[in-house]
Amino acid sequence: MNNVIEVSGERIGKEDFLPMKESDIVNLNLTDDGLRVLVSTWSSSNSQIGIEYHFNEYRGFRYLDESDLFAYWGESIKFMGNCHLYKIIKGGWISGEVKEKGILDLSLTIKDLMEYFIATSNGCLTVLACSKPTSRKVELF
């Protein structure tokens, strides 16, 4: 039996980093107004920047090393390039990638629930949310 889940998505973030430079999620912050995710990335070969994504209506998230999300990278060219933020349109966590009885039962009843994928060359984050996150460039610490 083949248990490989095909995952595909569409880029919704801006082209905002150099693919040949390392990027990573450097901070996750749960606040009263949602989930804030800070990505350290490069806008040029000598200019490191931060991009903050804010999910104000998130239901859950999962942080894993990029090698533990191979189904998201797989053969999909849609996850290649110089973008960090994607919307999952097929497969993924929300579609039963890990289907266990009693897991996500309530969340899956929400009509507008979507899965978003923040891809870096190190840690990656999948977020279940009811609205697209906002993003902005910020100073790194």
Side-chain angles (χ1 to χ4, degrees):
M1 185 166 117
N2 187 353
N3 289 332
V4 176
I5 303 292
E6 181 181 335
V7 178
S8 62
E10 61 185 12
R11 179 175 59 197
I12 60 173
K14 298 176 182 175
E15 294 185 1
D16 49 17
F17 79 97
L18 295 177
M20 298 315 223
K21 297 287 255 178
E22 290 287 316
S23 60
D24 203 359
I25 294 170
V26 295
N27 193 346
L28 294 172
N29 191 8
L30 304 173
T31 68
D32 290 343
D33 69 341
L35 171 66
R36 294 185 183 273
V37 181
L38 180 60
V39 173
S40 171
T41 191
W42 296 82
S43 61
S44 69
S45 60
N46 60 355
S47 180
Q48 194 171 11
I49 63 168
I51 300 174
E52 180 187 75
Y53 297 100
H54 176 232
F55 295 87
N56 65 353
E57 296 182 56
Y58 78 97
R59 294 287 304 173
F61 62 91
R62 172 178 68 167
Y63 174 87
L64 292 168
D65 185 81
E66 88 281 4
S67 62
D68 289 326
L69 288 169
F70 184 71
Y72 286 73
W73 297 102
E75 302 296 322
S76 178
I77 291 177
K78 292 186 183 255
F79 293 127
M80 305 298 177
N82 51 352
C83 178
H84 290 294
L85 182 63
Y86 299 87
K87 181 170 91 173
I88 301 303
I89 56 177
K90 179 181 177 190
W93 193 16
I94 201 170
S95 298
E97 172 188 309
V98 179
K99 191 70 172 168
E100 295 181 30
K101 186 175 179 163
I103 303 296
L104 297 178
D105 286 352
L106 178 61
S107 292
L108 292 175
T109 65
I110 299 171
K111 178 183 171 195
D112 296 329
L113 188 68
M114 295 299 306
E115 180 179 354
Y116 296 92
F117 179 50
I118 297 176
T120 78
S121 59
N122 290 291
C124 295
L125 194 73
T126 56
V127 180
L128 301 180
C130 296
S131 61
K132 178 181 170 183
T134 58
S135 67
R136 65 184 180 112
K137 291 184 180 179
V138 298
E139 293 288 323
L140 292 175
F141 359 90

